[in-house]
Structure formats: C-alpha cells, structure tokens
Amino acid sequence: MEVIIKPDRAAATLLVARLVDRELRANPSLVLGLATGRTMEALYAELVRMHHEDGLDFSLCRTFNLDEYEGLAPDDPNSYRHFMHRHLFSKINIDRRNTHLPDGMARDLDAECARYEALIADCGGIDLQILGIGVAGHIGFNEPLSALRSRTREKALSPLTLKQNAALFSDPVQMPTRGITMGVGTILDSHSCILLALGRDKAAIVARAVEGPITSMVSASALQLHAKCRVIVDEEAASALEGQAYYRWIFDNEPEWDAFR
Ligand code: F6R
C-alpha cells in the first residue's frame, strides 16, 4: 500500500484523474472499475474535462461499477446507473455497451451476481479499480463483517451507510436497504486499485483502514493485502494517520512519482 497526501481536495482528485489518464493512454482497452458517491463527482468532472480538452479517449474502455441499489431501475434518479450516466458516461465517448453495473432489478439476484463475476472474468479482470470509503469502512457496499474473500453478492446496508447515503435521497424513506456489490475478494483481485478519500469526516476511518488491523469490521483494511493499492487523501482525510511524515517521504523520493509531484 502507498499513501499519498495532497494539500486539498482538488489536488488529490487531480492526481487520481492523472493516474487514470496515464493508464488509459497506455492501454486504450483498459478495464476500469468505478465507484459512485460524492467523492467521485469531482473526479468524473475532471475526466470529462480531460476528454474534451486533452483528447482522453474512452472509446475502447470497459467499465465495471462496484455496486447498485436493489429495486431501483436504471433510469431512477437515485440509481447508480443514473449517477454514472449523469456524471460520466453521457459526457465522454464511451460505448454504453462497455459500461457495466449490477442489475438491481434482476429477478434472480444470485444469478445476476454470478453473471457479473463471469463478465469481469471474461474481460480479463479489472485493470484499475477506483474506490471511495464509507464512514463504516465499506468499499462498494461491503458492510462491516463482509468476508475478506467475498464475491459479488447482495448485501443489507448497515445503519451507518443508510444514514450516510440517505442525504442523497430527496425522500430518504425511498432509499433501498439492500444492494448488490462486488465482494472484497473481487476487489482484491483487481490488478491495481486507488482509494480516494477526502475531508475530515473520513479521517478516523482512513486511519483504521490503513494503519489498523486487517479486519472484516473495516472492509477497506483488506486493501493492505492488495499488491498494488494507492490511497490518495487530502490533508483533512490524512489528519489521523500516524505515519504521515513517512508517507510524504516516500512520495517525495520514489522516482515513480517524479512526474506527479
Ligand atoms: C459507491 C461506493 C461507496 C462510496 C462510499 C463513499 O459506489 O463504492 O463505497 O465510495 O460510500 O461515498 P461518498 O463519496 O459519498 O462519501
């Protein structure tokens, strides 16, 4: 794991966008894992800007989102499919047939989860998975006690997640209480991943995920097992980390980051 601390939200978000840009230019058929949520909005805005102003080409890119609510149709304004369409897919030159999210309306949810796993495998696995972190420590909808080897499955949302995400529903009563999510094991199988966390609200959980024990109570702590995981944070989200000086030293001295300082 590498932890990179940037001065503010904009700088942390820009670094993630530049890393996506680098991977996509190196491999135009990149299999990109995507997340939703407030943290991702500025990242997608930057990728849209890069598409329009710098010619970043998504025409061959394939995407898999981490999760979707159960029972929300793709055109429901609160569905993650709709979020992705609004913030990214409708604004870049991606082929909609190459954009994948679990189908929260599937009649047979177990079959849908198996189909999603098979589709990821058919594409050769996820090259780069983008992640956010919930205040309950989840990645995707992998709520506390999610097995570290779990695969795509349906999951009950924890009270903390329900509280965190209810703010995004105009009528919080309408918020589904279950979702389909890639498993922690599915995420760990990605070839590389980047977790983006911003703001003081995330400081405590980022510290537990990065410096605490690996535990299913904090799904993001499983990323310590990932062979190529970057955690990119702003100063506020980094504020509870004990190893800040060390993480900064690595970033300042690793030749890999020369172009990104
Ligand atoms: C959603 C997802 C979640 C979010 C997390 C943070 O697809 O993967 O794990 O990344 O809940 O959400 P925000 O960014 O709204 O704080």
Side-chain angles (χ1 to χ4, degrees), residues 43-88:
L43 173 64
Y44 296 152
E46 180 57 25
L47 291 175
V48 169
R49 190 202 64 73
M50 287 173 160
H51 167 65
H52 288 291
E53 294 178 18
D54 307 335
L56 186 61
D57 179 15
F58 290 85
S59 60
L60 299 176
C61 180
R62 293 155 300 161
T63 65
F64 285 91
N65 267 78
L66 286 164
D67 46 11
E68 178 59 284
Y69 288 112
E70 270 181 41
L72 295 190
D75 59 353
D76 187 300
N78 288 305
S79 74
Y80 284 168
R81 165 62 79 178
H82 193 268
F83 176 100
M84 292 309 303
H85 178 77
R86 186 166 76 242
H87 291 284
L88 188 65

mmCIF file of all heavy atoms in Angstrom, residues 43-88:
data_model
loop_
_atom_site.group_PDB
_atom_site.id
_atom_site.type_symbol
_atom_site.label_atom_id
_atom_site.label_comp_id
_atom_site.label_asym_id
_atom_site.label_seq_id
_atom_site.Cartn_x
_atom_site.Cartn_y
_atom_site.Cartn_z
ATOM 1 N N LEU A 43 -13.989 13.876 -9.453
ATOM 2 C CA LEU A 43 -13.089 13.035 -10.266
ATOM 3 C C LEU A 43 -13.675 12.865 -11.666
ATOM 4 O O LEU A 43 -12.972 13.029 -12.678
ATOM 5 C CB LEU A 43 -12.899 11.664 -9.606
ATOM 6 C CG LEU A 43 -12.112 10.659 -10.444
ATOM 7 C CD1 LEU A 43 -10.675 11.121 -10.664
ATOM 8 C CD2 LEU A 43 -12.132 9.274 -9.777
ATOM 9 N N TYR A 44 -14.966 12.576 -11.744
ATOM 10 C CA TYR A 44 -15.568 12.381 -13.063
ATOM 11 C C TYR A 44 -15.603 13.698 -13.842
ATOM 12 O O TYR A 44 -15.408 13.709 -15.066
ATOM 13 C CB TYR A 44 -16.960 11.737 -12.927
ATOM 14 C CG TYR A 44 -16.873 10.335 -12.334
ATOM 15 C CD1 TYR A 44 -17.900 9.778 -11.594
ATOM 16 C CD2 TYR A 44 -15.703 9.574 -12.495
ATOM 17 C CE1 TYR A 44 -17.795 8.504 -11.036
ATOM 18 C CE2 TYR A 44 -15.585 8.305 -11.941
ATOM 19 C CZ TYR A 44 -16.625 7.781 -11.212
ATOM 20 O OH TYR A 44 -16.500 6.528 -10.662
ATOM 21 N N ALA A 45 -15.814 14.804 -13.132
ATOM 22 C CA ALA A 45 -15.785 16.115 -13.817
ATOM 23 C C ALA A 45 -14.404 16.346 -14.432
ATOM 24 O O ALA A 45 -14.288 16.862 -15.552
ATOM 25 C CB ALA A 45 -16.136 17.229 -12.833
ATOM 26 N N GLU A 46 -13.366 15.953 -13.731
ATOM 27 C CA GLU A 46 -12.008 16.137 -14.258
ATOM 28 C C GLU A 46 -11.754 15.202 -15.450
ATOM 29 O O GLU A 46 -11.125 15.601 -16.438
ATOM 30 C CB GLU A 46 -10.989 15.894 -13.134
ATOM 31 C CG GLU A 46 -9.536 16.056 -13.529
ATOM 32 C CD GLU A 46 -9.180 17.431 -14.125
ATOM 33 O OE1 GLU A 46 -9.867 18.430 -13.854
ATOM 34 O OE2 GLU A 46 -8.193 17.480 -14.903
ATOM 35 N N LEU A 47 -12.248 13.973 -15.379
ATOM 36 C CA LEU A 47 -12.068 13.056 -16.514
ATOM 37 C C LEU A 47 -12.834 13.567 -17.741
ATOM 38 O O LEU A 47 -12.355 13.455 -18.873
ATOM 39 C CB LEU A 47 -12.532 11.636 -16.141
ATOM 40 C CG LEU A 47 -11.652 10.908 -15.115
ATOM 41 C CD1 LEU A 47 -12.279 9.559 -14.737
ATOM 42 C CD2 LEU A 47 -10.226 10.702 -15.637
ATOM 43 N N VAL A 48 -13.997 14.143 -17.501
ATOM 44 C CA VAL A 48 -14.773 14.729 -18.599
ATOM 45 C C VAL A 48 -13.978 15.890 -19.223
ATOM 46 O O VAL A 48 -13.870 16.015 -20.441
ATOM 47 C CB VAL A 48 -16.162 15.215 -18.102
ATOM 48 C CG1 VAL A 48 -16.859 16.069 -19.156
ATOM 49 C CG2 VAL A 48 -17.028 14.024 -17.696
ATOM 50 N N ARG A 49 -13.408 16.720 -18.351
ATOM 51 C CA ARG A 49 -12.579 17.827 -18.856
ATOM 52 C C ARG A 49 -11.409 17.292 -19.683
ATOM 53 O O ARG A 49 -11.115 17.799 -20.765
ATOM 54 C CB ARG A 49 -12.049 18.670 -17.686
ATOM 55 C CG ARG A 49 -11.385 19.971 -18.130
ATOM 56 C CD ARG A 49 -10.425 20.542 -17.108
ATOM 57 N NE ARG A 49 -9.265 19.708 -16.843
ATOM 58 C CZ ARG A 49 -8.236 19.526 -17.673
ATOM 59 N NH1 ARG A 49 -8.206 20.123 -18.852
ATOM 60 N NH2 ARG A 49 -7.232 18.719 -17.346
ATOM 61 N N MET A 50 -10.746 16.249 -19.175
ATOM 62 C CA MET A 50 -9.598 15.677 -19.898
ATOM 63 C C MET A 50 -10.042 15.115 -21.257
ATOM 64 O O MET A 50 -9.302 15.182 -22.232
ATOM 65 C CB MET A 50 -8.956 14.559 -19.066
ATOM 66 C CG MET A 50 -8.175 15.074 -17.867
ATOM 67 S SD MET A 50 -7.618 13.697 -16.844
ATOM 68 C CE MET A 50 -6.280 14.481 -15.942
ATOM 69 N N HIS A 51 -11.239 14.554 -21.288
ATOM 70 C CA HIS A 51 -11.763 14.040 -22.559
ATOM 71 C C HIS A 51 -11.937 15.184 -23.559
ATOM 72 O O HIS A 51 -11.471 15.101 -24.695
ATOM 73 C CB HIS A 51 -13.090 13.316 -22.318
ATOM 74 C CG HIS A 51 -13.836 13.028 -23.575
ATOM 75 N ND1 HIS A 51 -13.365 12.170 -24.547
ATOM 76 C CD2 HIS A 51 -15.014 13.520 -24.042
ATOM 77 C CE1 HIS A 51 -14.215 12.131 -25.553
ATOM 78 N NE2 HIS A 51 -15.219 12.945 -25.283
ATOM 79 N N HIS A 52 -12.559 16.267 -23.107
ATOM 80 C CA HIS A 52 -12.875 17.366 -24.029
ATOM 81 C C HIS A 52 -11.653 18.215 -24.383
ATOM 82 O O HIS A 52 -11.489 18.625 -25.517
ATOM 83 C CB HIS A 52 -13.974 18.263 -23.442
ATOM 84 C CG HIS A 52 -15.309 17.593 -23.457
ATOM 85 N ND1 HIS A 52 -15.993 17.325 -24.621
ATOM 86 C CD2 HIS A 52 -16.072 17.102 -22.454
ATOM 87 C CE1 HIS A 52 -17.133 16.701 -24.345
ATOM 88 N NE2 HIS A 52 -17.197 16.553 -23.035
ATOM 89 N N GLU A 53 -10.789 18.446 -23.384
ATOM 90 C CA GLU A 53 -9.682 19.396 -23.626
ATOM 91 C C GLU A 53 -8.369 18.714 -23.983
ATOM 92 O O GLU A 53 -7.550 19.289 -24.688
ATOM 93 C CB GLU A 53 -9.494 20.293 -22.393
ATOM 94 C CG GLU A 53 -10.698 21.199 -22.182
ATOM 95 C CD GLU A 53 -10.562 22.061 -20.940
ATOM 96 O OE1 GLU A 53 -9.438 22.224 -20.434
ATOM 97 O OE2 GLU A 53 -11.601 22.557 -20.482
ATOM 98 N N ASP A 54 -8.156 17.491 -23.487
ATOM 99 C CA ASP A 54 -6.859 16.832 -23.715
ATOM 100 C C ASP A 54 -6.990 15.593 -24.598
ATOM 101 O O ASP A 54 -6.022 14.841 -24.764
ATOM 102 C CB ASP A 54 -6.213 16.427 -22.378
ATOM 103 C CG ASP A 54 -6.112 17.602 -21.403
ATOM 104 O OD1 ASP A 54 -6.070 18.757 -21.865
ATOM 105 O OD2 ASP A 54 -6.099 17.355 -20.184
ATOM 106 N N GLY A 55 -8.184 15.328 -25.106
ATOM 107 C CA GLY A 55 -8.370 14.208 -26.025
ATOM 108 C C GLY A 55 -8.331 12.837 -25.367
ATOM 109 O O GLY A 55 -8.036 11.840 -26.050
ATOM 110 N N LEU A 56 -8.611 12.764 -24.077
ATOM 111 C CA LEU A 56 -8.621 11.446 -23.425
ATOM 112 C C LEU A 56 -9.752 10.604 -24.043
ATOM 113 O O LEU A 56 -10.911 11.007 -24.042
ATOM 114 C CB LEU A 56 -8.817 11.603 -21.909
ATOM 115 C CG LEU A 56 -8.716 10.321 -21.085
ATOM 116 C CD1 LEU A 56 -7.334 9.672 -21.231
ATOM 117 C CD2 LEU A 56 -8.998 10.609 -19.605
ATOM 118 N N ASP A 57 -9.364 9.447 -24.560
ATOM 119 C CA ASP A 57 -10.272 8.653 -25.398
ATOM 120 C C ASP A 57 -10.797 7.444 -24.628
ATOM 121 O O ASP A 57 -10.027 6.592 -24.182
ATOM 122 C CB ASP A 57 -9.477 8.199 -26.636
ATOM 123 C CG ASP A 57 -10.307 7.340 -27.570
ATOM 124 O OD1 ASP A 57 -11.546 7.325 -27.429
ATOM 125 O OD2 ASP A 57 -9.704 6.684 -28.439
ATOM 126 N N PHE A 58 -12.112 7.366 -24.479
ATOM 127 C CA PHE A 58 -12.727 6.252 -23.757
ATOM 128 C C PHE A 58 -13.380 5.246 -24.717
ATOM 129 O O PHE A 58 -14.103 4.354 -24.273
ATOM 130 C CB PHE A 58 -13.804 6.775 -22.795
ATOM 131 C CG PHE A 58 -13.260 7.548 -21.624
ATOM 132 C CD1 PHE A 58 -12.981 8.909 -21.732
ATOM 133 C CD2 PHE A 58 -13.027 6.925 -20.412
ATOM 134 C CE1 PHE A 58 -12.488 9.634 -20.651
ATOM 135 C CE2 PHE A 58 -12.533 7.634 -19.318
ATOM 136 C CZ PHE A 58 -12.263 8.993 -19.445
ATOM 137 N N SER A 59 -13.143 5.382 -26.014
ATOM 138 C CA SER A 59 -13.945 4.615 -26.982
ATOM 139 C C SER A 59 -13.780 3.103 -26.831
ATOM 140 O O SER A 59 -14.693 2.345 -27.157
ATOM 141 C CB SER A 59 -13.621 5.051 -28.414
ATOM 142 O OG SER A 59 -12.253 4.827 -28.695
ATOM 143 N N LEU A 60 -12.632 2.656 -26.338
ATOM 144 C CA LEU A 60 -12.426 1.207 -26.179
ATOM 145 C C LEU A 60 -12.442 0.769 -24.715
ATOM 146 O O LEU A 60 -12.308 -0.416 -24.406
ATOM 147 C CB LEU A 60 -11.086 0.797 -26.815
ATOM 148 C CG LEU A 60 -10.951 1.053 -28.320
ATOM 149 C CD1 LEU A 60 -9.549 0.706 -28.801
ATOM 150 C CD2 LEU A 60 -12.002 0.246 -29.084
ATOM 151 N N CYS A 61 -12.591 1.744 -23.830
ATOM 152 C CA CYS A 61 -12.528 1.460 -22.384
ATOM 153 C C CYS A 61 -13.761 0.654 -21.954
ATOM 154 O O CYS A 61 -14.868 0.871 -22.429
ATOM 155 C CB CYS A 61 -12.478 2.792 -21.630
ATOM 156 S SG CYS A 61 -12.396 2.631 -19.853
ATOM 157 N N ARG A 62 -13.537 -0.286 -21.044
ATOM 158 C CA ARG A 62 -14.646 -1.059 -20.480
ATOM 159 C C ARG A 62 -14.733 -0.770 -18.992
ATOM 160 O O ARG A 62 -13.697 -0.664 -18.340
ATOM 161 C CB ARG A 62 -14.406 -2.558 -20.713
ATOM 162 C CG ARG A 62 -14.489 -2.872 -22.201
ATOM 163 C CD ARG A 62 -13.728 -4.075 -22.629
ATOM 164 N NE ARG A 62 -12.316 -4.034 -22.372
ATOM 165 C CZ ARG A 62 -11.546 -5.129 -22.347
ATOM 166 N NH1 ARG A 62 -12.083 -6.314 -22.551
ATOM 167 N NH2 ARG A 62 -10.250 -5.039 -22.127
ATOM 168 N N THR A 63 -15.936 -0.589 -18.474
ATOM 169 C CA THR A 63 -16.056 -0.214 -17.057
ATOM 170 C C THR A 63 -16.972 -1.176 -16.293
ATOM 171 O O THR A 63 -17.940 -1.710 -16.847
ATOM 172 C CB THR A 63 -16.621 1.217 -16.891
ATOM 173 O OG1 THR A 63 -17.966 1.262 -17.385
ATOM 174 C CG2 THR A 63 -15.769 2.246 -17.609
ATOM 175 N N PHE A 64 -16.626 -1.375 -15.040
ATOM 176 C CA PHE A 64 -17.465 -2.155 -14.119
ATOM 177 C C PHE A 64 -17.640 -1.342 -12.852
ATOM 178 O O PHE A 64 -16.653 -0.997 -12.195
ATOM 179 C CB PHE A 64 -16.797 -3.483 -13.759
ATOM 180 C CG PHE A 64 -16.864 -4.488 -14.869
ATOM 181 C CD1 PHE A 64 -15.838 -4.565 -15.808
ATOM 182 C CD2 PHE A 64 -17.946 -5.343 -14.978
ATOM 183 C CE1 PHE A 64 -15.900 -5.485 -16.848
ATOM 184 C CE2 PHE A 64 -18.018 -6.269 -16.014
ATOM 185 C CZ PHE A 64 -16.987 -6.340 -16.948
ATOM 186 N N ASN A 65 -18.883 -1.034 -12.507
ATOM 187 C CA ASN A 65 -19.110 -0.348 -11.233
ATOM 188 C C ASN A 65 -19.152 -1.335 -10.076
ATOM 189 O O ASN A 65 -19.494 -2.504 -10.245
ATOM 190 C CB ASN A 65 -20.402 0.461 -11.280
ATOM 191 C CG ASN A 65 -20.154 1.879 -11.691
ATOM 192 O OD1 ASN A 65 -19.956 2.151 -12.875
ATOM 193 N ND2 ASN A 65 -20.128 2.796 -10.740
ATOM 194 N N LEU A 66 -18.808 -0.808 -8.918
ATOM 195 C CA LEU A 66 -18.741 -1.654 -7.729
ATOM 196 C C LEU A 66 -20.101 -2.167 -7.282
ATOM 197 O O LEU A 66 -20.218 -3.292 -6.811
ATOM 198 C CB LEU A 66 -18.171 -0.841 -6.558
ATOM 199 C CG LEU A 66 -16.690 -0.545 -6.575
ATOM 200 C CD1 LEU A 66 -16.377 0.581 -5.596
ATOM 201 C CD2 LEU A 66 -15.912 -1.800 -6.204
ATOM 202 N N ASP A 67 -21.124 -1.312 -7.421
ATOM 203 C CA ASP A 67 -22.363 -1.671 -6.731
ATOM 204 C C ASP A 67 -23.579 -0.978 -7.329
ATOM 205 O O ASP A 67 -23.466 -0.075 -8.163
ATOM 206 C CB ASP A 67 -22.248 -1.363 -5.223
ATOM 207 C CG ASP A 67 -21.660 0.022 -4.931
ATOM 208 O OD1 ASP A 67 -21.525 0.829 -5.871
ATOM 209 O OD2 ASP A 67 -21.351 0.296 -3.766
ATOM 210 N N GLU A 68 -24.733 -1.425 -6.884
ATOM 211 C CA GLU A 68 -26.015 -0.832 -7.294
ATOM 212 C C GLU A 68 -27.047 -1.150 -6.217
ATOM 213 O O GLU A 68 -26.960 -2.178 -5.540
ATOM 214 C CB GLU A 68 -26.459 -1.427 -8.649
ATOM 215 C CG GLU A 68 -27.792 -0.934 -9.188
ATOM 216 C CD GLU A 68 -27.871 0.591 -9.408
ATOM 217 O OE1 GLU A 68 -28.011 1.312 -8.388
ATOM 218 O OE2 GLU A 68 -27.817 1.022 -10.565
ATOM 219 N N TYR A 69 -27.992 -0.237 -6.040
ATOM 220 C CA TYR A 69 -29.094 -0.492 -5.104
ATOM 221 C C TYR A 69 -30.028 -1.550 -5.662
ATOM 222 O O TYR A 69 -30.246 -1.619 -6.881
ATOM 223 C CB TYR A 69 -29.922 0.784 -4.899
ATOM 224 C CG TYR A 69 -29.244 1.847 -4.081
ATOM 225 C CD1 TYR A 69 -28.848 3.040 -4.657
ATOM 226 C CD2 TYR A 69 -29.008 1.660 -2.721
ATOM 227 C CE1 TYR A 69 -28.238 4.039 -3.909
ATOM 228 C CE2 TYR A 69 -28.391 2.663 -1.961
ATOM 229 C CZ TYR A 69 -28.011 3.835 -2.561
ATOM 230 O OH TYR A 69 -27.410 4.800 -1.816
ATOM 231 N N GLU A 70 -30.604 -2.323 -4.762
ATOM 232 C CA GLU A 70 -31.637 -3.266 -5.186
ATOM 233 C C GLU A 70 -32.959 -2.537 -5.367
ATOM 234 O O GLU A 70 -33.301 -1.659 -4.567
ATOM 235 C CB GLU A 70 -31.828 -4.348 -4.110
ATOM 236 C CG GLU A 70 -30.927 -5.538 -4.322
ATOM 237 C CD GLU A 70 -31.148 -6.610 -3.269
ATOM 238 O OE1 GLU A 70 -32.312 -6.896 -2.896
ATOM 239 O OE2 GLU A 70 -30.140 -7.154 -2.810
ATOM 240 N N GLY A 71 -33.654 -2.878 -6.439
ATOM 241 C CA GLY A 71 -35.010 -2.373 -6.628
ATOM 242 C C GLY A 71 -35.090 -1.017 -7.304
ATOM 243 O O GLY A 71 -36.184 -0.477 -7.455
ATOM 244 N N LEU A 72 -33.968 -0.434 -7.709
ATOM 245 C CA LEU A 72 -34.031 0.845 -8.435
ATOM 246 C C LEU A 72 -33.764 0.594 -9.920
ATOM 247 O O LEU A 72 -32.759 -0.026 -10.281
ATOM 248 C CB LEU A 72 -33.005 1.852 -7.896
ATOM 249 C CG LEU A 72 -33.189 2.350 -6.460
ATOM 250 C CD1 LEU A 72 -32.240 3.524 -6.184
ATOM 251 C CD2 LEU A 72 -34.630 2.774 -6.174
ATOM 252 N N ALA A 73 -34.655 1.097 -10.759
ATOM 253 C CA ALA A 73 -34.495 0.948 -12.206
ATOM 254 C C ALA A 73 -33.342 1.832 -12.682
ATOM 255 O O ALA A 73 -33.014 2.827 -12.030
ATOM 256 C CB ALA A 73 -35.795 1.348 -12.897
ATOM 257 N N PRO A 74 -32.738 1.471 -13.827
ATOM 258 C CA PRO A 74 -31.592 2.248 -14.320
ATOM 259 C C PRO A 74 -31.894 3.730 -14.485
ATOM 260 O O PRO A 74 -31.018 4.575 -14.304
ATOM 261 C CB PRO A 74 -31.293 1.609 -15.680
ATOM 262 C CG PRO A 74 -31.897 0.250 -15.618
ATOM 263 C CD PRO A 74 -33.051 0.311 -14.672
ATOM 264 N N ASP A 75 -33.155 4.074 -14.821
ATOM 265 C CA ASP A 75 -33.465 5.494 -15.019
ATOM 266 C C ASP A 75 -33.953 6.178 -13.738
ATOM 267 O O ASP A 75 -34.307 7.358 -13.754
ATOM 268 C CB ASP A 75 -34.489 5.664 -16.156
ATOM 269 C CG ASP A 75 -35.774 4.915 -15.870
ATOM 270 O OD1 ASP A 75 -35.819 4.170 -14.861
ATOM 271 O OD2 ASP A 75 -36.731 5.064 -16.645
ATOM 272 N N ASP A 76 -33.957 5.448 -12.632
ATOM 273 C CA ASP A 76 -34.317 6.093 -11.365
ATOM 274 C C ASP A 76 -33.192 7.075 -11.004
ATOM 275 O O ASP A 76 -32.020 6.711 -11.003
ATOM 276 C CB ASP A 76 -34.437 5.008 -10.272
ATOM 277 C CG ASP A 76 -34.971 5.582 -8.960
ATOM 278 O OD1 ASP A 76 -34.316 6.504 -8.375
ATOM 279 O OD2 ASP A 76 -36.015 5.116 -8.507
ATOM 280 N N PRO A 77 -33.546 8.324 -10.685
ATOM 281 C CA PRO A 77 -32.503 9.330 -10.411
ATOM 282 C C PRO A 77 -31.560 8.947 -9.274
ATOM 283 O O PRO A 77 -30.453 9.464 -9.191
ATOM 284 C CB PRO A 77 -33.300 10.587 -10.036
ATOM 285 C CG PRO A 77 -34.706 10.318 -10.353
ATOM 286 C CD PRO A 77 -34.898 8.859 -10.617
ATOM 287 N N ASN A 78 -31.974 8.034 -8.396
ATOM 288 C CA ASN A 78 -31.103 7.631 -7.290
ATOM 289 C C ASN A 78 -30.289 6.375 -7.582
ATOM 290 O O ASN A 78 -29.484 5.959 -6.749
ATOM 291 C CB ASN A 78 -31.930 7.397 -6.021
ATOM 292 C CG ASN A 78 -32.442 8.701 -5.443
ATOM 293 O OD1 ASN A 78 -31.661 9.610 -5.181
ATOM 294 N ND2 ASN A 78 -33.745 8.810 -5.270
ATOM 295 N N SER A 79 -30.514 5.768 -8.762
ATOM 296 C CA SER A 79 -29.745 4.552 -9.056
ATOM 297 C C SER A 79 -28.314 4.927 -9.407
ATOM 298 O O SER A 79 -28.026 6.043 -9.862
ATOM 299 C CB SER A 79 -30.383 3.774 -10.218
ATOM 300 O OG SER A 79 -30.129 4.442 -11.441
ATOM 301 N N TYR A 80 -27.422 4.011 -9.183
ATOM 302 C CA TYR A 80 -26.019 4.260 -9.509
ATOM 303 C C TYR A 80 -25.815 4.291 -11.027
ATOM 304 O O TYR A 80 -24.927 4.989 -11.522
ATOM 305 C CB TYR A 80 -25.117 3.230 -8.823
ATOM 306 C CG TYR A 80 -24.934 3.500 -7.335
ATOM 307 C CD1 TYR A 80 -24.363 2.550 -6.498
ATOM 308 C CD2 TYR A 80 -25.312 4.714 -6.758
ATOM 309 C CE1 TYR A 80 -24.174 2.801 -5.137
ATOM 310 C CE2 TYR A 80 -25.132 4.967 -5.413
ATOM 311 C CZ TYR A 80 -24.568 4.012 -4.602
ATOM 312 O OH TYR A 80 -24.375 4.270 -3.259
ATOM 313 N N ARG A 81 -26.620 3.545 -11.773
ATOM 314 C CA ARG A 81 -26.552 3.633 -13.246
ATOM 315 C C ARG A 81 -26.853 5.068 -13.682
ATOM 316 O O ARG A 81 -26.173 5.640 -14.516
ATOM 317 C CB ARG A 81 -27.528 2.626 -13.864
ATOM 318 C CG ARG A 81 -27.855 2.812 -15.316
ATOM 319 C CD ARG A 81 -26.654 2.695 -16.248
ATOM 320 N NE ARG A 81 -26.240 1.337 -16.545
ATOM 321 C CZ ARG A 81 -25.222 1.066 -17.373
ATOM 322 N NH1 ARG A 81 -24.536 2.027 -17.967
ATOM 323 N NH2 ARG A 81 -24.867 -0.175 -17.587
ATOM 324 N N HIS A 82 -27.855 5.655 -13.074
ATOM 325 C CA HIS A 82 -28.221 7.025 -13.422
ATOM 326 C C HIS A 82 -27.105 7.992 -13.012
ATOM 327 O O HIS A 82 -26.758 8.917 -13.761
ATOM 328 C CB HIS A 82 -29.544 7.395 -12.732
ATOM 329 C CG HIS A 82 -30.141 8.657 -13.265
ATOM 330 N ND1 HIS A 82 -29.884 9.888 -12.701
ATOM 331 C CD2 HIS A 82 -30.968 8.883 -14.311
ATOM 332 C CE1 HIS A 82 -30.535 10.822 -13.382
ATOM 333 N NE2 HIS A 82 -31.191 10.238 -14.361
ATOM 334 N N PHE A 83 -26.541 7.785 -11.833
ATOM 335 C CA PHE A 83 -25.414 8.615 -11.372
ATOM 336 C C PHE A 83 -24.277 8.579 -12.399
ATOM 337 O O PHE A 83 -23.704 9.616 -12.779
ATOM 338 C CB PHE A 83 -24.922 8.080 -10.013
ATOM 339 C CG PHE A 83 -23.697 8.784 -9.460
ATOM 340 C CD1 PHE A 83 -23.814 9.764 -8.478
ATOM 341 C CD2 PHE A 83 -22.421 8.458 -9.914
ATOM 342 C CE1 PHE A 83 -22.683 10.409 -7.968
ATOM 343 C CE2 PHE A 83 -21.289 9.099 -9.416
ATOM 344 C CZ PHE A 83 -21.424 10.079 -8.444
ATOM 345 N N MET A 84 -23.938 7.372 -12.854
ATOM 346 C CA MET A 84 -22.813 7.232 -13.793
ATOM 347 C C MET A 84 -23.132 7.900 -15.121
ATOM 348 O O MET A 84 -22.261 8.523 -15.740
ATOM 349 C CB MET A 84 -22.481 5.752 -14.007
ATOM 350 C CG MET A 84 -21.901 5.054 -12.798
ATOM 351 S SD MET A 84 -20.493 5.908 -12.028
ATOM 352 C CE MET A 84 -19.355 6.027 -13.396
ATOM 353 N N HIS A 85 -24.390 7.751 -15.556
ATOM 354 C CA HIS A 85 -24.794 8.382 -16.811
ATOM 355 C C HIS A 85 -24.672 9.900 -16.679
ATOM 356 O O HIS A 85 -24.104 10.572 -17.539
ATOM 357 C CB HIS A 85 -26.228 7.968 -17.144
ATOM 358 C CG HIS A 85 -26.743 8.600 -18.402
ATOM 359 N ND1 HIS A 85 -26.369 8.154 -19.653
ATOM 360 C CD2 HIS A 85 -27.570 9.660 -18.595
ATOM 361 C CE1 HIS A 85 -26.946 8.913 -20.567
ATOM 362 N NE2 HIS A 85 -27.679 9.831 -19.954
ATOM 363 N N ARG A 86 -25.163 10.437 -15.567
ATOM 364 C CA ARG A 86 -25.197 11.887 -15.379
ATOM 365 C C ARG A 86 -23.801 12.493 -15.255
ATOM 366 O O ARG A 86 -23.490 13.502 -15.864
ATOM 367 C CB ARG A 86 -26.027 12.209 -14.123
ATOM 368 C CG ARG A 86 -26.256 13.692 -13.905
ATOM 369 C CD ARG A 86 -27.342 13.967 -12.879
ATOM 370 N NE ARG A 86 -26.887 13.746 -11.518
ATOM 371 C CZ ARG A 86 -27.394 12.858 -10.684
ATOM 372 N NH1 ARG A 86 -28.368 12.081 -11.069
ATOM 373 N NH2 ARG A 86 -26.933 12.736 -9.456
ATOM 374 N N HIS A 87 -22.941 11.821 -14.477
ATOM 375 C CA HIS A 87 -21.635 12.431 -14.177
ATOM 376 C C HIS A 87 -20.542 12.065 -15.164
ATOM 377 O O HIS A 87 -19.557 12.789 -15.274
ATOM 378 C CB HIS A 87 -21.192 12.058 -12.761
ATOM 379 C CG HIS A 87 -22.036 12.688 -11.698
ATOM 380 N ND1 HIS A 87 -21.921 14.019 -11.353
ATOM 381 C CD2 HIS A 87 -23.033 12.186 -10.942
ATOM 382 C CE1 HIS A 87 -22.799 14.306 -10.410
ATOM 383 N NE2 HIS A 87 -23.493 13.215 -10.144
ATOM 384 N N LEU A 88 -20.692 10.918 -15.857
ATOM 385 C CA LEU A 88 -19.573 10.495 -16.700
ATOM 386 C C LEU A 88 -20.003 9.974 -18.077
ATOM 387 O O LEU A 88 -19.611 10.553 -19.098
ATOM 388 C CB LEU A 88 -18.754 9.419 -15.954
ATOM 389 C CG LEU A 88 -17.438 9.006 -16.624
ATOM 390 C CD1 LEU A 88 -16.455 10.179 -16.668
ATOM 391 C CD2 LEU A 88 -16.801 7.816 -15.899
#
